[in-house]
Amino acid sequence: MMIDTILVSLQQSGHRDTRPRRAIVEVIVGRQGAFTAREIVAEMAPHGFGRATVYRTLAALQSLGYVTRLHVGPECDRYTISDGSHHHHLVCTACGAVFPIAGCEVEQAAHTVARRIGFAVDGHHLDVYGRCATCGVRRRSED
Amino acid sequence: MMIDTILVSLQQSGHRDTRPRRAIVEVIVGRQGAFTAREIVAEMAPHGFGRATVYRTLAALQSLGYVTRLHVGPECDRYTISDGSHHHHLVCTACGAVFPIAGCEVEQAAHTVARRIGFAVDGHHLDVYGRCATCGVRRRSED
DNA sequence: GTGGTTGCAAACGCTTTGCAACATG
DNA sequence: CATGTTGCAAAGCGTTTGCAACCAC
């Protein structure tokens, strides 16, 4: 179970396996798509878990690489689950689904340009947004 | 002069050529690199121009495509001058220099993946950060 | 003169933090 | 039973907005 893997990682990095944290991780894993801190806070409220806890947990997950911040259009407050191996995503603006982009292809293109001007690349961020196959089909028949 | 071009565009879109606006555009054009709203506000303060004006002008320039919001690492509050033709940048984290990346190469890679999964791409955002040639050399000799 | 523009200050929303009580390992 | 964690409320931060005076056209 992905949830336990993450909780174990948290423990290994000196954190504890607590009820609020577990609930937050469960929600995030269950979503399988982009989400905002706001949304998680709303889902935690009924359980009596506060926003501070959500933000702190999100920060911890981010530093462990389990969560990545997306930059879709003008928005920069969305996150997605990540396994740390790829940094790029196709984000569906309709349903929030997130598909990983194999890093190599994009990275190669960026590095080609960088090399040409002697730029030393430290990192990069790419997010592509649009409609996933499911939502694209739905649009054609419903819009 | 780039400055007048922008001011004329503003006028053509129903805006007016005012002293504060001109000052803001001048500063932005003069920088030739990434900047934050905060920095522009600080530079305008001595002239008696307020933050609201800076933010409103920045928004107008953005809607005209003269300014683009960058997403460098965890930051999403930096902007850069843009001519609207390319959406990708190599951003130097040392001096703030911004180099455009020809869109085609990166776009092609992203579209290859998108096509494979039936994803309809609406837009995308890529920013690569690191050290430009000048700062890279300086680092080797000074750090 | 009219309507867009301005500065100010207050409001805003999201995020962070100080703190005392609490619960995990 | 020590220390990381929690919820709460207050503070922090960058940004936006309401408003009356103002100025470009």
Side-chain angles (χ1 to χ4, degrees):
Chain A
M1 179 62 109
M2 183 74 171
I3 296 168
D4 288 310
T5 305
I6 296 177
L7 267 306
V8 167
S9 281
L10 278 169
Q11 283 185 296
Q12 289 177 336
S13 65
H15 296 91
R16 288 179 182 169
D17 181 352
T18 67
R19 194 181 299 280
R21 276 221 260 261
R22 185 167 281 270
I24 293 168
V25 172
E26 277 174 10
V27 168
I28 291 174
V29 171
R31 287 196 159 243
Q32 295 286 354
F35 58 87
T36 63
R38 194 192 209 332
E39 292 167 359
I40 307 302
V41 168
E43 286 202 57
M44 289 301 109
H47 300 292
F49 306 145
R51 32 200 152 269
T53 302
V54 172
Y55 282 106
R56 286 187 277 231
T57 300
L58 237 35
L61 292 176
Q62 238 188 124
S63 73
L64 287 177
Y66 283 115
V67 148
T68 298
R69 190 166 204 154
L70 300 175
H71 301 271
V72 177
E75 300 169 36
C76 11
D77 57 351
R78 311 183 85 183
Y79 298 82
T80 186
I81 283 277
S82 160
D83 66 359
S85 66
H86 44 71
H87 312 282
H88 314 304
H89 310 86
L90 289 172
V91 185
C92 180
T93 52
C95 66
V98 177
F99 306 90
I101 300 177
C104 56
E105 303 172 57
V106 171
E107 247 159 81
Q108 199 170 16
H111 275 79
T112 298
V113 179
R115 198 175 304 120
R116 202 151 62 216
I117 62 174
F119 192 97
V121 174
D122 283 340
H124 50 273
H125 196 106
L126 169 71
D127 289 309
V128 182
Y129 45 99
R131 293 265 198 156
C132 66
T134 309
C135 293
V137 170
R138 194 181 307 138
R139 176 166 54 175
R140 277 197 292 280
S141 57
E142 293 179 7
D143 286 1
Chain B
M1 178 62 109
M2 181 74 172
I3 296 168
D4 288 311
T5 306
I6 296 178
L7 267 306
V8 167
S9 281
L10 277 171
Q11 283 185 295
Q12 291 177 335
S13 64
H15 295 91
R16 288 179 181 169
D17 182 351
T18 67
R19 194 181 298 281
R21 278 222 259 258
R22 187 167 280 272
I24 293 167
V25 171
E26 277 174 10
V27 168
I28 291 175
V29 171
R31 288 197 157 241
Q32 294 286 354
F35 58 87
T36 62
R38 192 192 211 335
E39 291 167 0
I40 307 303
V41 168
E43 285 201 56
M44 288 301 110
H47 301 292
F49 306 145
R51 41 205 144 264
T53 303
V54 172
Y55 282 105
R56 285 187 278 231
T57 299
L58 235 35
L61 292 176
Q62 236 186 125
S63 73
L64 287 177
Y66 284 115
V67 148
T68 298
R69 190 167 206 155
L70 300 176
H71 300 273
V72 178
E75 301 169 36
C76 12
D77 57 350
R78 311 184 84 181
Y79 298 82
T80 186
I81 283 277
S82 160
D83 66 0
S85 66
H86 42 70
H87 312 281
H88 314 302
H89 309 86
L90 290 173
V91 185
C92 180
T93 52
C95 67
V98 177
F99 305 91
I101 300 177
C104 56
E105 303 171 60
V106 171
E107 248 159 80
Q108 200 170 16
H111 275 79
T112 298
V113 179
R115 199 175 303 119
R116 203 150 61 216
I117 61 172
F119 192 98
V121 174
D122 283 340
H124 50 272
H125 196 104
L126 171 70
D127 289 311
V128 183
Y129 46 98
R131 292 267 197 153
C132 68
T134 308
C135 293
V137 170
R138 193 182 307 137
R139 176 166 53 173
R140 277 197 293 279
S141 57
E142 293 180 8
D143 285 1

